[in-house]
Every structure is written in structure tokens, then in C-alpha cells.
Amino acid sequence: MLTITDLYKTYRGAASPAVRGVSFEVPRGAMVSLLGPSGCGKTTTLRCVAGLETPDSGEIVLADRVLDSVSRGVSVPVHRRGLGMVFQSYAIWPHMSVLDNVRFPLQTLPRSEQVSRAEQIRRVEEALDLVQLGRFAGRRATDLSGGQQQRLALARALVGRPPLLLLDEPLSNLDARLRDEMRFELLRLQSELGITTVFVTHDQAEALALSDAIVLMNDGVIAQVGPPTELYRRPASRFVASFIGRTNLWDGDVLDEPGVDGLVTVGTALGPLRGVVGADGVRRGGPAVLACRPEQMAIEDIETADPRSPNAVEAVVKSSIFTGDAAESVLEAGRVELRVRHAPDNRHAPGDRVLVRFTPGDCIVLPSGAEADSTDGVPERELVG
Ligand SMILES: Nc1ncnc2c1ncn2[C@@H]1O[C@H](COP(=O)(O)OP(=O)(O)OP(=O)(O)O)[C@@H](O)[C@H]1O
Ligand SMILES: [Mg+2]
């Protein structure tokens, strides 16, 4: 549906490109998020798709229609792209009522897509209900709060049922509860109407909850593309492992060759630990990092534990915090920290000596060192889905 190929964008006066060689595809009807730390190039990528920025090079194609191609000299202007969008600085029309703001895109549809007045009102009401602004229809747009204006911008972007919806942090000004509600409403409408959506967020919980696929960016390049579960369970680099969710990372050296089971041993400050090779570049004698999620680890009594089992570490409980549905404990083995997430009724108290155990199959071994930790050298093209 949407194909971005080798996109580069350098801002005027900038020493290096804000986006360097970004390629990914968004299938029809999919919800794909651009995720990454502040300044990594999410908004720049989205603005290029919207036509608000001109790429230095690369191609943007929407369902066989070339929107941008520097080599072919094509650049479709913003208003001809027919996309729905909400940007960080959402522009509402201050001189219009809430209702007229949302209705405006329907009054400017191309002739072939025009709808009756009754249908316009029906769609406007639907969109306003979606964002919970139905009762404000008659108000001036400027008499809304920041969060309400943001929702108004979202309703306006959705109402024309665009082939592609571009959202840049569309829920950032909402309180936690409303944001949660809107997430699910947005997902419902998006899948009901089958609107292909690309949305930017730096909130990984939002990306994990909403996306069919996540495009994780770092410093202008793509670090990994894939479904949320894949980025979470099979991170391709230290950056991905540490950016998505919380994880324990222990550095060391690879002690053996991968076995038929795909496992290698990494000599770490905790002793030798076994894990699954998660990416190219893990070789015997080379530096590596072993990653394990706190919820993949269990705290056991030392006396009852089997001393022969792999990936069992003696540690002292330092602190525990109760998070409602679970608890998280920080433990120390020597000077190395371990974080474990477990059932809230765990009986171990600070000061207790325990055994922390984790299954080799739940640990990912990733290459480490300067070369591996730079995000350069990612594959030419990343496929979503
Ligand atoms: N108009 C501009 N002129 C010059 N540099 C810019 C401009 N807009 C963005 N940049 C720079 O380009 C880089 C990428 O910015 P971008 O806005 O795409 O980041 P982002 O991933 O959306 O970050 P955030 O999460 O903070 O919104 C940053 O280093 C930023 O400083
Ligand atoms: Mg941004």
C-alpha cells in the first residue's frame, strides 16, 4: 500500500541528514507505528510522506501512485495527496465551530467522492462521537482545551475516510485515562474502516498495544521492523532490547560455538550463561550481550534449587516494589544487578539470599562492541508484516 524506499532528508544548514536510508512498507489496512527516541527522525519521515518536506533522495509510493521520486522528478503537493493527518502542532481553524472544522474536509472532497449533506452530518457526528466531542459540536474551536483541540484534529483527519492516515503523537495531550480510551476507539475505527495508518509515538506501550508492526528508529535509521511481539521477544540489537520494554543486559564474551539448539554460552560477571543467538555477528571469542526480560526470571529458594541447572544465579534481594498485578524486585549478585518481575505475593524480603533462574531459551545473545552498537549497516529494505 505505502512503500518508502531509501528516504534521505537533510534540513537546511544541518551537518547530517535527519533521516538516512529509511525503507519500509505498510500493507493496506495496517496500523504501523514509527517509534524511537526524541530526535530520531520520526516526524521527519512522516512529514515527507505527507508532502510537507521534500526528500533529498528516495521514493514514496502510495498504492501505485508515486508521491515522491527524486530520481523521476515527481513531487505531489500536500493538498493533492488526499491524506488525513494530525501533526504535533495540530492546526484547527479558529474562526469555525467544532462541527464546521470536522465537516470541512467533506466539503472539499474531489467530485467523484462527494457525499450528500445528510451523509456529511452523519459522518461528522460519528467522528465527533469517536473523540468524545459530540456535545461540543456548536462551540468555537478556540474555546476548547488543548486535549480537546487535539481530538478535534483527529476527528477532522478521520472524517474524509482517507486512504492513508498520518498521525504524529495524536494522543500526547490527553490524560492517561482518556488516552487509553481513545487508543482503543482509534484502533476500533481504524480496523472497522480499514484505514491504513502510520502513527508516530515515543510511547512504547502505545506502539506495542496499537501496531500491526513497529518501525523502530534510532538516529535517522531503522533499527528493526516487525510485529510488536517480535521486537519484544526477538530484539535484533542491544538498542532494540533496551528500548522496547525493560530488560536485563549482561555483557561478556562468547565461550563456544552455537550448538544445534542455537544456544551459546556467554562468560559474564554472573558466570557462564546460556542463550539463543539473536543476530549475526555473535562469534566465539567475540564480545556479546545477553538479554533477559524480568518476567522471564524466577526467584527460588536456594535449598530447593537444582544446582546443575543452567542460568541459575545466587543473589541477594535488595528491594521490591508492588505494582498492583505484579511485583518487581531488584537483586544483586556480587556487584551485578538483576531485575525480576514476579507474582505480588512473593515471600522473599530484602536481605534474603535466593536463587534467580531463567531458561536459556528465553535469553537472547546479541553482538556487542562499537561496530554492533552503531545502527549503521541495517538491511537495505525492511519489510513490514
Ligand atoms: N525544521 C528543522 N530544521 C532543522 N532541523 C530539524 C528540523 N526539524 C527537525 N530537525 C532535526 O532533525 C532531527 C529529527 O527530528 P524529528 O523531528 O524528525 O525527530 P522526532 O523523532 O520526531 O523526535 P520527537 O520524538 O522529539 O518528536 C532532529 O535532530 C531535529 O533536531
Ligand atoms: Mg516528532
Side-chain angles (χ1 to χ4, degrees):
M1 171 73 179
L2 175 70
T3 308
I4 298 175
T5 310
D6 212 15
L7 186 71
Y8 279 79
K9 171 68 193 174
T10 311
Y11 287 106
R12 192 186 304 267
S16 61
V19 165
R20 303 178 275 139
V22 163
S23 302
F24 63 92
E25 284 184 19
V26 181
R28 184 180 301 277
M31 181 101 150
V32 167
S33 57
L34 299 180
L35 177 69
S38 184
C40 71
K42 306 179 295 292
T43 296
T44 303
T45 304
L46 206 68
R47 286 178 62 88
C48 287
V49 177
L52 295 166
E53 302 289 350
T54 313
D56 313 344
S57 64
E59 261 189 12
I60 300 171
V61 178
L62 179 64
D64 301 332
R65 184 167 170 230
V66 179
L67 297 181
D68 281 288
S69 171
V70 176
S71 60
R72 287 190 255 176
V74 178
S75 178
V76 176
V78 189
H79 61 278
R80 292 263 160 76
R81 297 191 180 206
L83 311 178
M85 44 183 124
V86 177
F87 277 90
Q88 268 168 318
S89 51
Y90 36 91
I92 50 154
W93 292 300
H95 56 286
M96 288 185 196
S97 70
V98 167
L99 185 135
D100 289 338
N101 256 279
V102 178
R103 191 171 158 207
F104 187 79
L106 296 177
Q107 295 170 315
T108 53
L109 285 174
R111 192 171 286 275
S112 60
E113 292 168 35
Q114 276 173 13
V115 293
S116 69
R117 198 187 133 77
E119 175 64 10
Q120 284 181 13
I121 298 296
R122 201 192 64 73
R123 284 206 208 167
V124 168
E125 282 172 353
E126 179 191 65
L128 283 175
D129 281 347
L130 167 84
V131 298
Q132 300 181 20
L133 286 180
R135 65 201 166 94
F136 296 113
R139 256 207 212 174
R140 278 174 73 95
T142 40
D143 296 344
L144 297 177
S145 73
Q148 289 166 342
Q149 292 185 11
Q150 195 172 34
R151 285 183 275 154
L152 172 57
L154 186 58
R156 197 180 55 194
L158 281 166
V159 77
R161 312 257 170 96
L164 181 66
L165 185 60
L166 305 175
L167 304 174
D168 195 348
E169 313 236 7
L171 310 178
S172 62
N173 281 347
L174 308 180
D175 64 69
R177 193 187 58 83
L178 189 57
R179 194 171 171 158
D180 248 24
E181 276 176 33
M182 294 270 305
R183 270 180 198 163
F184 284 99
E185 282 300 296
L186 182 62
L187 193 59
R188 186 184 60 77
L189 194 93
Q190 186 271 337
S191 63
E192 250 174 52
L193 300 180
I195 302 179
T196 309
T197 306
V198 182
F199 78 103
V200 165
T201 180
H202 59 248
D203 178 344
Q204 47 149 312
E206 191 160 291
L208 290 170
L210 294 185
S211 324
D212 294 309
I214 296 175
V215 176
L216 178 57
M217 297 181 65
N218 188 26
D219 196 18
V221 304
I222 292 180
Q224 192 172 353
V225 176
T229 49
E230 195 176 300
L231 268 72
Y232 191 83
R233 296 199 190 120
R234 288 279 176 265
S237 66
R238 177 199 290 264
F239 170 77
V240 180
S242 56
F243 192 83
I244 306 267
R246 283 153 37 86
T247 195
N248 291 285
L249 294 169
W250 300 298
D251 284 289
D253 293 307
V254 182
L255 300 180
D256 53 13
E257 301 289 344
V260 281
D261 51 6
L263 297 176
V264 286
T265 311
V266 182
T268 72
L270 295 172
L273 298 175
R274 307 264 293 155
V276 181
V277 175
D280 291 345
V282 173
R283 50 185 81 78
R284 183 178 195 154
V289 62
L290 187 125
C292 189
R293 301 281 180 197
E295 69 271 19
Q296 308 283 18
M297 301 165 60
I299 298 179
E300 296 175 7
D301 292 332
I302 289 197
E303 302 76 50
T304 58
D306 175 0
R308 288 161 308 175
S309 83
N311 295 6
V313 175
E314 267 191 53
V316 176
V317 179
K318 285 286 160 197
S319 61
S320 286
I321 52 163
F322 174 61
T323 62
D325 56 341
E328 283 191 21
S329 295
V330 177
L331 300 97
E332 242 175 39
R335 301 178 66 181
V336 182
E337 208 172 70
L338 301 95
R339 285 173 181 275
V340 181
R341 192 172 161 84
H342 50 80
D345 53 356
N346 189 284
R347 343 161 232 101
H348 299 288
D352 284 359
R353 225 181 154 69
V354 296
L355 201 78
V356 177
R357 194 209 302 271
F358 36 103
T359 310
D362 293 331
C363 300
I364 309 289
V365 179
L366 297 164
S368 189
E371 191 188 334
D373 293 339
S374 92
T375 37
D376 282 342
V378 290
E380 276 277 292
R381 162 171 294 267
E382 304 274 355
L383 286 177
V384 169

